[in-house]
Amino acid sequence: MRHGNHKYKLGVKPQHRKALVQGLAMELIIHGKIRTTETKAKAIKPFVEKLVTIAKNDTIANRRLAFTKLNNKEAVAALFTNVAPKFKQRPGGYTRILKLAEGRLGDGAKEAYIAFVE
């Protein structure tokens, strides 16, 4: 049975999906807020939340674990120095998705902002 195994497929192959989620998470960590499609925002939310939970405890092992997931030194540094200290006392729910009213020009895809909770 597939209970609890739902993943957003995003219409691409697994390698592309992994790279896409990794890149969007990197941009979210560096910039704090990004605009993307609603489905992509929902796909990266659990990935980013797990990274923030890892980064709340700043150890070398956790930095290496975050680097294996992000594969970018600048994003890992920003995660551990800028993002994670804000959420030390928060037990979860580090990101929010704000849906936009209009569809994207061209294909009409639903868009949303994903940002860290302040």
Side-chain angles (χ1 to χ4, degrees), residues 34-38 41 97-100 110-114:
I34 58 172
R35 181 178 180 163
T36 183
T37 63
E38 195 177 314
I97 296 174
L98 302 169
K99 297 176 185 176
L100 298 176
K110 294 179 183 175
E111 286 196 308
Y113 279 106
I114 181 165

Side-chain angles (χ1 to χ4, degrees), residues 34-79:
I34 58 172
R35 181 178 180 163
T36 183
T37 63
E38 195 177 314
T39 309
K40 288 177 187 174
K42 288 179 181 180
I44 68 169
K45 185 172 180 166
F47 185 79
V48 171
E49 299 229 353
K50 288 172 188 167
L51 282 173
V52 174
T53 303
I54 289 169
K56 283 168 62 173
N57 186 12
D58 191 1
T59 62
I60 293 174
N62 283 349
R63 282 183 179 260
R64 288 178 177 162
L65 184 60
F67 182 76
T68 61
K69 294 185 183 299
L70 283 176
N71 205 18
N72 186 315
K73 289 182 185 178
E74 293 82 21
V76 171
L79 177 67

Side-chain angles (χ1 to χ4, degrees), residues 1 4 13 17 38 63 65 72 81 87 98 102-103 105:
M1 285 192 243
K13 296 192 178 203
R17 183 169 48 250
E38 195 177 314
R63 282 183 179 260
L65 184 60
N72 186 315
T81 58
F87 301 114
L98 302 169
E102 72 280 353
L105 195 63

